Amino acid sequence: MKILRINMSEDAPEVKFEDLGQYEGLGGRALTSAIISKEVNPLCHPLSADNKLVIACGLLGGSAAAMSGRTSVGCKSPLTGGIKEANSGGQAGQVLGRLGIAAIVLEGKPKGDDTYKIYINKNGVKVEKDNSLKMLPNYDLIEKMKKEFGEKIACISIGPAGEMKMSGASVALTDMELRPTRHAGRGGVGAVMGSKGVKVIVLDDTETTPRQPKNVEAFKEANKKFVAGLQKHPVTGQGLPAYGTNVLTNIINEVGAYPTYNFKEGRFAGARKISGEVEAELEKQRGGNPTHGCHRGCVIRCSGIYHDKDGHYLTKQPEYETVWALGGNCGVDDIDKIAMMDFLCDNYGVDTIEMGATIAVAMEAGLLKWGDADAAINLLHEVGKGTHLGRIIGNGAAFTGKAFGVERVPVVKGQALPAYDPRAVQGIGVTYATSPMGADHTAGYSIALNVLKTGGFVDPLKPEGQVELSRNLQIATAFVDSTGMCLFIAFALLDQPETNQALLDMLNAFYGWNMTDKDVVEYGKKVLKFERDFNLRAGFTKEHDRLPRFFYKEPLPPHNTVFQVKDEELDQLFNW
């Protein structure tokens, strides 16, 4: 496996392959965070030539391991000012691995305003100017790439928001149908790709073969046990395949942790209308598909295909976070309107969580009324067109809150909170506050134990035990994000010791390692250390590891609780 470096500063961009060297044994998030921490000046401007964009497959990317197709995208974030790893499904991670590329590192910055496309296959790399691609939405862009390069490709691209360098801009990765539906959404990674002048990276793995393990038989056996464990678990084997991630809407609403009207209430009256059950039924009725993988080799298949009322493709199955952000949080209970907003976010290349939180802040400011889905759709079109208002919204919730004088802005380190209120699930509040990434549910998904009772139970309404819970989950997650595995395997890993062992056996068979659970913990800690070290040098202090003050002061109905974990406890999370 090699690192591919592309320096965009030269008149003719410079391309070079190099050995992993000091980064040997790192993949996915570990690799992106190590490169950013070691090579990027933490005080640089995120859109400057000094920042780098790193796109990495996981340790098992390109192999026959089930669930191993995730891609990590890392940089200094224009949204948070700290380190960022945004994680995505789609085909790119597997294709990168098959091409023998552990990471693509985009460096430097073009002098002019030309737009570039990059084509990579087994024979090498071509970097070409193509100004006909300027400001194309993602779907139109990918159609153009298909005509030029054929159907057997995977694409990594940005929409107009990335080109306009908006802090809410995402990086799109194509799915199995070659649609730009999977997004490294968080932290403005799309703006950094835009600052490098790169519109699209086309990956072609024609005539390549999967990466081979050192011990083929042991790898096959471990993979078989791993898949069996996932299929046996009620979450990964039944709930997620049937209803997708949006199975959570009714569950989180029921427990009173569903943030509604910009985090004012914990339950939404219209939740049932936009639930995963309703969504799956509609998909079946209209000829879509509620059970679908986002990349080949996925056995959970929590994605889906959503058709409009006329039976035409509209978007991928909107995820739980998306349905909440653009739905319940804004008082919208029309699943078709939410699906349209999901399509627009994918097409213009913006993060659905950030946009939903931002639209709710705009509603609080009085720019549009609560529940007005059509006005919200128009606002997303403003983002795509880059109007003055669109540029404010496209730069996220914190920026919009400042622009319109809104006090209640739900962000940590400048990044919008996802779909669980920290007053009703105290553990996720700890993760939001302390993750080096800014507010991020995936960094330490306490919902598993606080709500779903997977792997144990910690009372979500009490502060006791939440710091330890978040710490352990953040360490484990940093490791899983480095393997290239989908985070949803964690449900089975927490409940089934044999499935956890099967993952280790797979890695050990692949690399010839002797990794134990203890080594997993040390690996996760190492990743978090890279990230914390970068943020420290970027000027972050313990005061940045805090929730907005209104979570400590405003009780949340129906439980009427506030966030109760003390600052001194939060400060101990990384003292392991």
Side-chain angles (χ1 to χ4, degrees):
M1 296 290 278
K2 303 277 187 186
I3 291 175
L4 166 61
R5 292 184 185 269
I6 305 175
N7 191 324
M8 300 301 298
S9 292
E10 310 302 317
D11 291 332
E14 186 188 5
V15 174
K16 65 177 180 185
F17 284 94
E18 61 185 41
D19 293 332
L20 281 166
Q22 65 175 322
Y23 303 120
E24 193 72 51
L26 303 179
R29 177 174 164 187
L31 187 50
T32 64
S33 290
I35 292 174
I36 297 305
S37 189
K38 288 174 186 290
E39 299 183 15
V40 172
N41 182 340
L43 299 175
C44 78
H45 192 288
L47 303 178
S48 71
D50 295 331
N51 199 6
K52 300 186 181 191
L53 188 79
V54 186
I55 302 165
C57 66
L59 288 167
L60 292 169
S63 76
M67 308 301 303
S68 62
R70 302 292 294 187
T71 304
S72 292
V73 181
C75 60
K76 176 174 178 175
S77 165
L79 190 72
T80 70
I83 200 165
K84 173 52 62 182
E85 182 261 3
N87 197 287
S88 177
Q91 277 297 110
Q94 286 183 329
V95 177
L96 274 175
R98 288 169 67 106
L99 287 166
I101 298 170
I104 299 170
V105 184
L106 297 180
E107 305 175 315
K109 186 176 179 177
K111 292 182 181 71
D113 65 347
D114 286 313
T115 296
Y116 290 81
K117 67 184 176 205
I118 298 170
Y119 176 74
I120 306 170
N121 68 2
K122 71 181 179 69
N123 300 317
V125 182
K126 277 187 201 157
V127 185
E128 294 179 320
K129 285 181 191 172
D130 189 346
N131 290 320
S132 72
L133 307 180
K134 269 186 195 293
M135 295 300 282
L136 281 182
N138 275 313
Y139 274 85
D140 294 348
L141 171 70
I142 300 309
E143 283 305 312
K144 206 163 176 178
M145 293 303 100
K146 279 159 70 173
K147 287 195 177 96
E148 186 171 353
F149 298 108
E151 301 269 338
K152 294 185 175 174
I153 55 173
C155 295
I156 302 169
S157 65
I158 54 172
E163 289 185 69
M164 290 184 277
K165 301 185 252 311
M166 294 176 179
S167 297
S170 61
V171 169
L173 288 81
T174 49
D175 59 19
M176 291 193 291
E177 285 74 30
L178 210 41
R179 292 167 174 153
T181 62
R182 316 318 306 180
H183 286 249
R186 313 237 61 201
V189 291
V192 178
M193 188 159 158
S195 75
K196 305 299 178 196
V198 177
K199 176 72 172 170
V200 61
I201 301 170
V202 179
L203 304 170
D204 184 345
D205 64 355
T206 305
E207 294 178 14
T208 64
T209 53
R211 292 170 66 202
Q212 291 305 306
K214 292 216 164 154
N215 185 333
V216 175
E217 287 311 311
F219 179 82
K220 275 188 190 166
E221 185 59 29
N223 195 15
K224 198 168 148 191
K225 284 181 184 166
F226 179 65
V227 169
L230 295 177
Q231 292 176 333
K232 188 170 69 176
H233 194 275
V235 175
T236 51
Q238 294 154 35
L240 285 170
Y243 303 115
T245 58
N246 201 21
V247 69
L248 284 164
T249 291
N250 282 333
I251 296 168
I252 302 301
N253 197 58
E254 184 63 32
V255 300
Y258 193 78
T260 307
Y261 304 117
N262 191 29
F263 288 79
K264 283 198 187 73
E265 298 169 20
R267 284 204 180 120
F268 178 45
R272 290 200 176 277
K273 294 186 191 172
I274 57 175
S275 67
E277 292 83 347
V278 166
E279 197 176 11
E281 195 51 46
L282 272 180
E283 284 162 353
K284 282 183 202 161
Q285 285 171 12
R286 296 172 177 180
N289 184 3
T291 307
H292 178 266
C294 74
H295 68 270
R296 291 185 189 96
C298 169
V299 295
I300 297 176
R301 296 175 303 147
C302 74
S303 181
I305 295 171
Y306 192 95
H307 286 181
D308 64 17
K309 287 173 180 167
D310 300 322
H312 300 126
Y313 171 82
L314 176 55
T315 186
K316 90 284 195 184
Q317 176 174 281
E319 306 283 355
Y320 166 67
E321 302 291 334
T322 299
V323 172
W324 160 77
L326 299 163
N329 192 40
C330 296
V332 172
D333 62 6
D334 184 330
I335 192 70
D336 281 322
K337 296 282 171 72
I338 294 166
M340 172 54 78
M341 287 190 266
D342 180 58
F343 165 76
L344 292 174
C345 286
D346 285 356
N347 208 23
Y348 295 140
V350 282
D351 176 26
T352 56
I353 297 175
E354 195 66 45
M355 285 305 99
T358 305
I359 292 167
V361 168
M363 286 174 166
E364 180 136 322
L367 263 71
L368 57 168
K369 290 188 173 65
W370 293 110
D372 191 339
D374 291 328
I377 287 169
N378 287 338
L379 211 46
L380 288 173
H381 284 306
E382 300 270 336
V383 174
K385 288 186 282 199
T387 63
H388 292 152
L389 176 58
R391 283 175 181 266
I392 291 171
I393 301 297
N395 275 298
F399 193 91
T400 299
K402 282 180 188 167
F404 294 105
V406 176
E407 179 195 349
R408 300 175 72 268
V409 181
V411 298
V412 175
K413 300 179 181 73
Q415 182 166 277
L417 268 65
Y420 314 89
D421 197 294
R423 291 163 289 190
V425 186
Q426 304 270 320
I428 205 71
V430 175
T431 297
Y432 291 161
T434 59
S435 167
M437 300 294 162
D440 180 359
H441 60 299
T442 65
Y445 191 68
S446 82
I447 309 305
L449 290 94
N450 283 154
V451 177
L452 303 174
K453 300 183 181 176
T454 306
F457 178 64
V458 180
D459 189 332
L461 295 171
K462 293 179 179 166
E464 290 81 19
Q466 307 295 357
V467 167
E468 185 186 5
L469 172 63
S470 177
R471 176 193 295 127
N472 292 338
L473 289 169
Q474 288 194 55
I475 291 167
T477 301
F479 170 73
V480 172
D481 286 345
S482 303
T483 62
M485 288 283 170
C486 170
L487 191 56
F488 291 152
I489 67 168
F491 294 108
L493 299 190
L494 285 164
D495 276 339
Q496 301 166 349
E498 68 279 11
T499 308
N500 183 61
Q501 188 58 48
L503 174 60
L504 290 184
D505 291 345
M506 221 176 343
L507 276 164
N508 289 337
F510 194 83
Y511 283 99
W513 292 346
N514 294 300
M515 190 174 248
T516 63
D517 282 337
K518 192 178 173 188
D519 297 317
V520 166
V521 171
E522 291 310 310
Y523 196 108
K525 286 177 178 176
K526 181 165 69 172
V527 177
L528 289 165
K529 190 171 180 299
F530 288 141
E531 295 166 356
R532 294 270 299 170
D533 180 58
F534 183 93
N535 282 0
L536 193 65
R537 290 180 288 127
F540 284 71
T541 67
K542 63 182 183 181
E543 278 70 33
H544 290 92
D545 289 349
R546 303 287 185 261
L547 295 176
R549 297 322 289 176
F550 74 86
F551 287 112
Y552 299 82
K553 295 192 292 188
E554 295 180 16
L556 178 78
H559 300 293
N560 296 315
T561 48
V562 295
F563 186 65
Q564 300 162 63
V565 181
K566 291 187 167 56
D567 292 352
E568 306 82 71
E569 283 188 74
L570 295 177
D571 295 340
Q572 295 306 310
L573 189 136
F574 293 100
N575 289 346
W576 45 58

